[in-house]
Amino acid sequence: MEQNICKIAILGMGTVGGGVCKILERQKDNLVNKIGGDLEIAKILVRNKVKYIDKVAPEMLTDQWSDVINDDSIKIIVEVMGGIEPAGTYIKESLQKGKHVVTANKDLIAVQGHELLKIAKENNCDLLFEAAVAGGIPIIRPLKQCLAGNDITEVMGIINGTTNFILTKMSEEGMDFADALQLATDLGYAEADPTADIEGHDAGRKLAILASIAFHSPVTFPDVYTEGISKITAKDIRYAHELGCEIKLLGIAKNTEDGIEVKVHPTMISAKHPLASVKDSFNAVFVHGDAVDDAMFYGRGAGEFPTGSAVVGDIIDAARNMQFHCSGRIGCSCYKNIPVKNVRETKSSYYVRMKLEDRAGTLAALAGVFGSNNVSISKLLQKTKQGNTADIVIVTYDVIEKQFMDSITVISTMSMVKEISSIIRVYQ
Ligand code: NAP
Ligand code: HSE
């Protein structure tokens, strides 16, 4: 840190970049005390300078990466522009030049995080990404540091605000899916293309990052099974309530005896579980360790200030590390290579709703198919009847997914089965 001033560059001045600037401005009188030196924004990189002329001092603004990477006085690069490229190349080049990097880029870290952390280590640099998972909630640092004395066997949570908002509106106000999605988009929770939210990809990327850190073994986004919320209906929500549950899009990572399980899917979870009461756009991450037992982290998973809070925390950490000559102290924590299980090998309990012919022998025939595939039934509800067709809900005990799906394949061909209306996993 020259003359105790650490120069930083911010790549991107959108929601998160704007939040970072505002927080640094608010904190400017405290930074010397917090860091032991001062921070100065030297450059801000954007694509279209005209858009930012009123917001950023012209001498700071650039649309040329070369202005940033070739400025040896800039020590910390804050990447908040998003996307895989050119963000990935900019981060690599920064680390190779000995610049520390702070990023909020979950898309990139979920696929290239291990490679980038290796480059950071080779260059004694910090690569920090607290904001990449669950926005403002501290979870990366707690997993790497505060919980380092644990064997963590499970990390699960609500790690997408848009889908949690939609499910809350459907559950509490009876809003339909399309209206709730529109409202989430209007409120700025959803990604520009909300498919990543709705189909569970955004949560899948965050879960890959969490699982790698929690289990000390590489997990990347393609390893994660993802299923979205677009098929969840008001009827399923009503049945969930009757069963004492809420439906949430959960990311669930488990370190089991025969491998890592990483899945994102709509899940029925007991209304008594702390995650069931996480509402609207809030996020929460639930961790189970052998020493700490259960711990839950709750807060805002998106937005300029919550996400900016996590980014600024990382900037301050990187600047402190420079001040005390201990940069790169905590890098990649993956020292194991545990296989990731195929979803078909994982276990869950299932809720299945179907329309059946209401006549003698139908349930016995279903039970026979389930029984021959080792699927044991825990609950059965029969509610509505239209003509001779009944709506039936069955909840199973925990079963290997392949065995459950094999029985559904057979059941769906039976003449008395008119429709398999929905299948939702149940967290036990
Ligand atoms: P955003 O509002 O779309 O802003 C992106 C910014 O990056 C814009 O200023 C844009 O400049 C600039 N940019 C994009 N591509 C560029 C390029 N090739 N060269 C130079 N500048 C470029 O995005 P955001 O919501 O702030 O998100 C930023 C990152 O934070 C993403 O990785 C996102 O996943 C992550 N994140 C966001 C949130 C959140 O709440 N928004 C939460 C957690 C993590 P132009 O306007 O000139 O194109
Ligand atoms: N679209 C994301 C969400 C923003 O809804 O959680 C934060 O990553």
Side-chain angles (χ1 to χ4, degrees), residues 3-305:
Q3 298 160 344
N4 260 5
I5 294 178
C6 176
K7 289 194 184 176
I8 69 173
I10 303 182
L11 318 184
M13 194 38 54
T15 307
V16 182
V20 168
C21 285
K22 289 175 196 159
I23 296 171
L24 287 175
E25 179 60 25
R26 277 188 198 169
Q27 286 291 321
K28 81 173 182 283
D29 294 338
N30 301 320
L31 290 174
V32 171
N33 289 321
K34 288 186 177 175
I35 299 170
D38 212 351
L39 283 176
E40 180 188 316
I41 302 173
K43 286 274 179 294
I44 292 175
L45 178 76
V46 293
R47 257 186 307 219
N48 176 4
K49 286 205 293 182
V50 178
K51 261 170 79 178
Y52 300 92
I53 234 85
D54 297 336
K55 293 183 196 147
V56 176
E59 65 279 10
M60 279 187 206
L61 204 56
T62 179
D63 54 9
Q64 297 300 312
W65 169 236
S66 56
D67 289 347
V68 176
I69 191 68
N70 295 328
D71 184 337
D72 291 336
S73 71
I74 295 174
K75 303 297 181 198
I76 300 176
I77 302 292
V78 181
E79 186 279 303
V80 283
M81 51 192 236
I84 302 292
E85 284 299 345
T89 300
Y90 291 176
I91 291 179
K92 266 183 221 158
E93 289 180 8
S94 302
L95 295 168
Q96 282 158 349
K97 279 204 131 190
K99 298 181 194 293
H100 308 287
V101 174
V102 171
T103 177
N105 195 330
K106 58 216 165 190
D107 301 31
L108 181 67
I109 295 296
V111 286
Q112 294 182 24
H114 303 95
E115 181 196 343
L116 294 171
L117 281 163
K118 190 165 167 267
I119 300 171
K121 187 177 179 194
E122 285 162 5
N123 293 281
N124 291 321
C125 284
D126 280 328
L127 168 59
L128 304 173
F129 47 88
E130 186 63 68
V133 178
I137 305 177
I139 185 64
I140 306 290
R141 204 170 268 98
L143 283 174
K144 284 196 175 196
Q145 300 187 33
C146 319
L147 297 172
N150 285 262
D151 274 335
I152 293 172
T153 47
E154 187 169 4
V155 184
M156 68 166 183
I158 294 169
I159 44 181
N160 181 269
T162 302
T163 44
N164 201 43
F165 179 84
I166 293 171
L167 290 172
T168 305
K169 289 286 165 201
M170 289 174 73
S171 175
E172 296 194 344
E173 295 174 26
M175 204 178 262
D176 74 25
F177 177 85
D179 290 344
L181 171 58
Q182 187 56 55
L183 190 53
T185 306
D186 294 345
L187 288 168
Y189 301 143
E191 303 287 314
D193 172 4
T195 316
D197 297 303
I198 299 310
E199 295 307 329
H201 302 160
D202 176 73
R205 293 183 176 107
K206 295 166 182 167
L207 190 67
I209 299 171
L210 287 177
S212 293
I213 295 170
F215 308 145
H216 303 286
S217 186
V219 178
T220 59
F221 175 52
D223 294 322
V224 182
Y225 171 80
T226 54
E227 191 180 304
I229 63 162
S230 51
K231 294 190 192 125
I232 299 296
T233 64
K235 199 177 229 181
D236 292 318
I237 291 173
R238 281 200 301 275
Y239 275 123
H241 290 167
E242 200 162 322
L243 292 162
C245 292
E246 289 291 342
I247 299 178
K248 296 286 185 188
L249 184 76
L250 293 189
I252 305 175
K254 290 183 187 172
N255 191 6
T256 70
E257 274 178 6
D258 49 351
I260 290 174
E261 298 180 4
V262 267
K263 308 189 279 190
V264 172
H265 50 67
T267 312
M268 284 199 186
I269 186 164
S270 163
K272 291 182 185 148
H273 192 285
L275 285 174
S277 53
V278 175
K279 295 188 178 169
D280 298 318
S281 65
F282 279 90
N283 282 203
V285 181
F286 196 86
V287 180
H288 184 82
D290 61 340
V292 74
D293 197 32
D294 289 334
M296 191 159 113
F297 302 79
Y298 170 84
R300 293 204 178 272
E304 64 171 340
F305 286 113

Side-chain angles (χ1 to χ4, degrees), residues 412-427:
S412 62
T413 63
M414 292 165 77
S415 62
M416 66 275 263
V417 177
K418 300 299 168 203
E419 179 184 282
I420 307 280
S421 313
S422 61
I423 294 173
I424 301 173
R425 294 172 186 81
V426 182
Y427 182 83

